[in-house]
Amino acid sequence: MLLPLAHHITESSCQLCSLINTCNGFYCDYFSPNSNGKPTMWTEAWTGWFTAFGGPVPHRPVEDMAFAVARFVQKGGSFVNYYMYHGGTNFDRTAGGPFIATSYDYDAPIDEYGLIRQPKWGHLRGLHKAIKQAEPALVSGDPTVQRIGNYEKAYVFKSSAGACAAFLSNYHTSAAARVVYNGRRYDLPAWSISILPDCKTAVFNTATVKEPSAPAKMNPAGGLAWQSYSEDTNALDSSAFTKDGLVEQLSMTWDKSDYLWYTTYVNIDSSEQFLKSGQWPQLTINSAGHSVQVFVNGQSFGVAYGGYNNPKLTYSKPVKMWQGSNKISILSSAMGLPNQGTHYEAWNVGVLGPVTLSGLNQGKRDLSNQKWTYQIGLKGESLGVNSVSGSSSVEWGSATGAQPLTWHKAYFAAPAGSAPVALDMGSMGKGQIWVNGNNAGRYWSYRASGSCGACSYAGTFSEAKCQTNCGDISQRWYHVPRSWLKPSGNLLVVLEEFGGDLSGVTLMTRTT
């Protein structure tokens, strides 16, 4: 896909002018091709925006979406491609970002489950029916523009065969207008365009939504009986390797796993005062992101994580240590790879330090440059416990939902009917989901911070304008395609990193 070339480049000075440049964005009526002989193409008309873990859920009002498309067409736009028209799901570990959620629904006219989203789908269908009616005039050439008010204009297309189509626009963000065109009166709501395929009859207005709203519903379809298998957080296997100092994560894992263990040892002398006072030393870890869990001598000492706008993080907590050798294990988790911008090679992930231990007799000890042992991935990953065949390679016990770094499995029958299927993961922490060996993606009950409130369709839209879920979980439900399921005996495996409440995990169906 080609991005727009700078407007000042002329055909004689542009080596790429044999190519067709295009526009991507919320609005593209400002865009012009790099030469007059090329079509004006909008390759990504953004119907919404993606959701990030820890961020609100964005929505784009259909009135503004229709207004943007009509603006583009009335100025001579010849091609519109919606992004997204059908929402999607970032299955497996394909979500970019980092921190982009598994759901890529994008507030699209057809949601990620394949269900029509009303009124967005129906209103855009009406828009394109009106544009189709105006087609004989639209293909005739450029429009003439008439000013019919302070904020109002008429874009008029006429063909040599007598076809005529007009777009009557009102750019005011709060006031409706009554205009006169061709001797007739027309009422234009604020921030709207009326389409007159015959230059007489207004068959469609972008701000007048006639389709009824039909919100989707999530319906419980059954609970689950669980078994669990816990990772050994105090063991290294034969694949582990040792290096001096801290290393960047992706240069080690090559994205074969989200996880990299950083392990080092600290010797505590019997003279250390904290052994008597009980004032445990403070472990401080600086990481380029995206999430860390800390274990000392196999005991969990909590987590820290970044966010979409700032993936870097600092962990700083007291940790219990004893006399002699102490093992510090840090599990670093990556949450997607960069998917926009430049110099991807400069985007770092993992524990890059410094890592320090303070509260010792000597004050602070820097652990960054000592020997560290590394292990790529988790034992459960190497054993394939997420797969149908590999799940029998370990001994599963009774459910232990609250324990960190634990695998859980359950068997279930496909919900009756044909409605799309999802999992409610709102009671869990962070991890990944597999169904019959298929990775349904990363989950994370990360609560959204941001600005949510009233939303007006009128006025220039941006991804931060119309948001919901502030204070709630960014993504609660996770799509399980029906094509993955058999009537009964379906294997669900969940890797839980932080610990959660398994009793809240529920099969769901989605209906409108």
Side-chain angles (χ1 to χ4, degrees), residues 111 113 115 214-220 419-420 422 477 508-512:
D111 70 17
Y113 296 87
L115 300 178
K217 296 180 180 179
M218 303 303 292
N219 314 288
W477 296 290
M508 312 290 288
T509 58
R510 186 175 176 92
T511 58
T512 54

Side-chain angles (χ1 to χ4, degrees), residues 81-336:
N81 175 65
Y82 287 96
Y83 184 97
M84 309 280 289
Y85 196 82
H86 191 317
T89 307
N90 292 313
F91 295 119
D92 207 334
R93 297 184 299 109
T94 57
F99 288 91
I100 292 178
T102 297
S103 171
Y104 207 75
D105 181 81
Y106 226 80
D107 200 33
I110 302 174
D111 70 17
E112 70 172 298
Y113 296 87
L115 300 178
I116 289 173
R117 173 174 278 117
Q118 292 286 31
K120 185 168 273 190
W121 186 85
H123 193 56
L124 292 177
R125 178 185 60 174
L127 166 68
H128 288 283
K129 282 185 175 181
I131 292 172
K132 182 67 176 177
Q133 286 179 257
E135 184 179 39
L138 292 178
V139 298
S140 65
D142 296 330
T144 59
V145 183
Q146 304 173 21
R147 183 169 291 279
I148 54 177
N150 292 331
Y151 292 88
E152 299 80 40
K153 292 181 180 179
Y155 291 78
V156 183
F157 296 81
K158 291 184 177 180
S159 74
S160 58
C164 182
F167 290 67
L168 307 184
S169 60
N170 176 11
Y171 280 74
H172 202 288
T173 59
S174 60
R178 172 166 288 186
V179 299
V180 175
Y181 168 71
N182 264 358
R184 300 187 181 204
R185 289 187 176 89
Y186 299 89
D187 291 317
L188 302 178
W191 200 253
S192 78
I193 296 173
S194 285
I195 300 176
L196 289 58
D198 58 359
C199 283
K200 296 177 182 178
T201 305
V203 301
F204 183 87
N205 178 268
T206 59
T208 304
V209 179
K210 298 178 180 179
E211 297 287 342
S213 177
K217 296 180 180 179
M218 303 303 292
N219 314 288
L224 298 153
W226 295 96
Q227 291 181 294
S228 300
Y229 157 73
S230 295
E231 286 276 325
D232 185 352
T233 59
N234 202 32
L236 295 168
D237 63 28
S238 59
S239 68
F241 54 94
T242 300
K243 288 180 174 288
D244 290 330
L246 298 165
V247 299
E248 196 277 332
Q249 181 169 338
L250 289 179
S251 64
M252 295 293 105
T253 66
W254 288 98
D255 197 37
K256 294 176 182 176
S257 170
D258 277 354
Y259 309 106
L260 179 65
W261 284 101
Y262 292 71
T263 300
T264 195
Y265 295 87
V266 175
N267 191 65
I268 297 298
D269 190 85
S270 60
S271 64
E272 288 289 348
Q273 290 299 311
F274 76 79
L275 293 172
K276 299 176 182 178
S277 68
Q279 298 294 318
W280 305 116
Q282 188 93 354
L283 178 64
T284 301
I285 301 164
N286 291 280
S287 173
H290 303 133
S291 167
V292 297
Q293 282 196 79
V294 177
F295 300 86
V296 178
N297 298 324
Q299 180 181 350
S300 173
F301 281 90
V303 303
Y305 45 84
Y308 177 74
N309 292 318
N310 183 19
K312 294 183 179 182
L313 62 95
T314 299
Y315 169 99
S316 189
K317 294 182 180 180
V319 295
K320 183 178 181 179
M321 307 188 88
W322 52 51
Q323 180 183 335
S325 180
N326 292 262
K327 183 179 183 180
I328 298 175
S329 299
I330 306 167
L331 181 63
S332 178
S333 172
M335 288 298 294

